[in-house]
Amino acid sequence: MLDWTADYLQEGERYPVLSRVEPGWIRSSLPAAAPERGESMGAILRDFERVLVPGLTHWNQPGFLAYFASSGSGPGVLAEFLTAALNQQAMLWRTSPAATELEEVVLSWLRQLLGLPDAFEGVIYDGGSASNFHALAAAIAHAVPDAGTRGLIGRSDVPPLRVYASEQAHSSIDKAVMLLGMGRQSLVKVPVDDQFRMRPAALASAIAADRRAGCRPVAVVATVGTTSTSSIDPVNAIAPICEGEGVWLHVDAAYGGAAAIVPDYASIFDGVGRADSVSVNPHKWLFTPLDLSAFYCRRFGAFRHAFALTPAYLQTDQPPDVRNLMDTGISLGRRFRALKLWMVMRYFGAAGLRARISNHLELAKRFAAWVDHDPDFERLAPVPLSVVCFRAVPRARELDAGALDQLNSRLLARVNASGEVLLSHTRLNGHYTLRMAIGHIRTEEAHVRRAWQIIRAALSGLCQ
Ligand code: PLP
């Protein structure tokens, strides 16, 4: 299996990036019930190759330019192997002192690289959605300290609560307010400017209007690197509004945060040190395999207040200052996620991480310039980080808005059918938009150049 893995990482490009199986093919190729007798690993591995590999979309390939990439880098893969072998369950400090304390150490290393103040303490979650959920749960517990005992429903002393995020914020914020029992109507979508960034003045007026209507603003979510365009909300202007209003500020930097470790891009974190909480996903752009989101909070006391609950069977004699990871979120059991981030950071070093991210930022600029210079294409958003949003507008064809959308949707399907690259799409100002996101550890200029060739050839094919 190690040989197979090594070959896969070396030669993965022989597989189409987007799986070509039909829905149901995998299911129908496998027995409907578990085998009565155990089978050999050889037989299992043969079926793995025959049935499962064709059903993989190869996120771990340099041609993966869709959504936000995730890199299973060598040190990350090996760390996951050890993690499974050790099978640590770090609910209490004593059930895994190493997993508990390494998490603190490695998150402190990352915090320093991100330029965040010492006051931020970190916790690892499985993903950015979990980080956002925990941030909002903590914000509610901070605003309504007895919410944990008395709840929020049917209370005359708790007005309707409100959360604010830009129209471009990630859908996990909508999900969080749904799951926290506030309903999606409690999430106010703040308008953005022509660069898809939250308008601070619109935020201030939305908060003022809600206060007049008897609602209680509890949290603002600013995004550094939005999902569609990688736009960066002006946290420097948003933070003082939150401070003035006594509202929790969470910064969702799931993808974009990684760029803050590059000196020329450190300014994307201007004002983030004033937030109450921040999340950055090393499983997106810090070359750590899924799943690992780093969550930081400046009010760790309030944070533990929101989540700590110890049943009798978990009460143990421990020094009072040790951390029990079960007090920092929904999960009781915690796997040893810190190990992979530690190995990735040690193996590449801060300089190696910076160099790779800088290269992606540079490649995105180069791709944007190619789009800008081609009269058959147009760019639909600025490129503050490594995402380029664009569409085809062929000179030879007079197309209305609907036809242009259709053409671009067909163009994307053709490009992705090449098997060499995978791009995704979004909608900006009503337009169907193609989206290239550069973030895989092995993506080089040759891959981006090849993607551009494929895109242009596909457009010529469609316009014949
Ligand atoms: N926040 C932002 C800005 C994202 O782009 C995403 C996913 O792409 C998330 C949060 C959710 O992250 P995860 O998929 O790790 O839950």
Side-chain angles (χ1 to χ4, degrees):
M1 284 190 186
L2 281 176
D3 285 344
W4 192 94
T5 306
D7 290 347
Y8 176 72
L9 293 177
Q10 289 289 321
E11 298 159 16
E13 289 175 61
R14 66 173 189 266
Y15 301 108
V17 186
L18 182 66
S19 171
R20 291 177 174 159
V21 296
E22 294 291 327
W25 183 82
I26 308 279
R27 216 170 32 240
S28 63
S29 306
L30 293 169
E36 184 58 29
R37 290 175 193 282
E39 299 179 66
S40 71
M41 284 308 286
I44 298 169
L45 196 52
R46 274 194 297 282
D47 278 350
F48 164 76
E49 284 203 282
R50 183 181 62 84
V51 182
L52 299 183
V53 171
L56 299 175
T57 286
H58 294 277
W59 284 72
N60 217 12
Q61 271 198 26
F64 190 99
L65 302 165
Y67 312 111
F68 285 129
S70 178
S71 302
S73 62
V77 171
L78 294 173
E80 281 288 31
F81 178 78
L82 286 181
T83 302
L86 300 169
N87 203 26
Q88 293 293 284
Q89 206 283 41
M91 55 186 178
L92 296 168
W93 175 83
R94 73 173 199 161
T95 64
S96 188
T100 306
E101 294 190 16
L102 186 66
E103 184 160 321
E104 287 183 54
V105 170
V106 81
L107 289 183
S108 164
W109 289 5
L110 180 60
R111 179 184 55 69
Q112 294 167 52
L113 292 186
L114 292 168
L116 288 174
D118 297 354
F120 280 90
E121 284 189 57
V123 182
I124 292 176
Y125 293 119
D126 63 350
S129 304
S131 287
N132 289 339
F133 175 87
H134 284 90
L136 292 183
I140 292 171
H142 183 59
V144 186
D146 61 0
T149 44
R150 296 182 58 206
L152 293 170
I153 296 166
R155 285 178 64 169
S156 54
D157 61 330
V158 179
L161 306 181
R162 290 285 178 265
V163 172
Y164 306 81
S166 95
E167 296 161 340
Q168 293 288 318
H170 189 257
S171 53
S172 55
I173 306 297
D174 305 59
K175 248 191 200 178
V177 295
M178 271 163 67
L179 296 176
L180 287 163
M182 299 164 66
R184 274 165 43 206
Q185 64 180 17
S186 65
L187 176 60
V188 180
K189 298 279 175 87
V190 181
V192 292
D193 64 14
D194 59 357
Q195 297 189 37
F196 306 99
R197 302 173 299 194
M198 185 192 284
R199 290 176 190 269
L203 170 68
S205 351
I207 291 177
D210 281 339
R211 286 215 192 273
R212 283 196 299 277
C215 299
R216 174 141 177 220
V218 285
V220 172
V221 181
T223 311
V224 171
T226 57
T227 315
S228 281
T229 71
S230 80
S231 60
I232 296 165
D233 287 339
V235 181
N236 240 341
I238 294 168
I241 298 174
C242 296
E243 286 160 3
E245 295 284 346
V247 167
W248 186 287
L249 172 59
H250 174 62
V251 176
D252 177 0
Y255 147 75
I261 75 168
V262 176
D264 286 352
Y265 285 77
S267 62
I268 65 170
F269 258 29
D270 281 353
V272 176
R274 294 167 73 175
D276 296 280
S277 56
V278 185
S279 49
V280 177
N281 277 13
H283 77 206
K284 287 196 186 338
W285 204 9
L286 275 168
F287 318 123
T288 305
L290 282 160
D291 49 1
L292 199 159
S293 176
F295 174 84
Y296 292 96
C297 185
R298 206 152 47 87
R299 301 177 183 277
F300 219 73
F303 192 70
R304 279 164 76 131
H305 168 74
F307 301 110
L309 180 75
T310 311
Y313 83 101
L314 293 174
Q315 281 163 9
T316 31
D317 287 336
Q318 287 185 159
D321 54 343
V322 300
R323 186 191 278 194
N324 293 319
L325 288 175
M326 69 171 197
D327 292 343
T328 56
I330 299 176
S331 309
L332 172 67
R334 295 288 188 119
R335 66 193 209 92
F336 194 176
R337 290 196 183 89
L339 186 65
K340 56 187 168 182
L341 184 54
W342 183 66
M343 290 203 176
V344 165
M345 291 178 83
R346 287 195 62 177
Y347 185 81
F348 295 112
L353 297 172
R354 277 189 209 106
R356 286 166 175 83
I357 292 172
S358 295
N359 189 38
H360 292 157
L361 291 159
E362 192 48 46
L363 288 177
K365 278 195 202 141
R366 221 165 289 164
F367 181 79
W370 298 338
V371 170
D372 291 348
H373 286 111
D374 191 317
D376 287 333
F377 287 85
E378 71 177 359
R379 197 146 53 76
L380 294 175
V383 182
L385 298 172
S386 69
V387 174
V388 184
C389 290
F390 64 104
R391 68 173 177 170
V393 278
R395 280 164 297 172
R397 307 269 294 271
E398 274 286 317
L399 298 173
D400 64 18
L404 263 179
D405 279 359
Q406 265 191 14
L407 174 90
N408 279 281
S409 153
R410 286 168 58 213
L411 175 61
L412 181 64
R414 265 195 185 214
V415 168
N416 291 343
S418 73
E420 286 187 63
V421 293
L422 183 69
L423 274 67
S424 55
H425 74 281
T426 187
R427 223 168 236 289
L428 293 178
N429 295 322
H431 305 311
Y432 187 94
T433 303
L434 306 188
R435 186 180 164 286
M436 175 185 285
I438 303 170
H440 191 272
I441 192 161
R442 286 185 297 116
T443 300
E444 297 290 345
E445 175 162 355
H447 303 104
V448 177
R449 202 173 274 284
R450 180 69 189 131
W452 184 225
Q453 272 175 0
I454 294 171
I455 294 164
R456 290 171 60 193
L459 181 63
S460 303
L462 282 174
C463 291
Q464 269 167 11

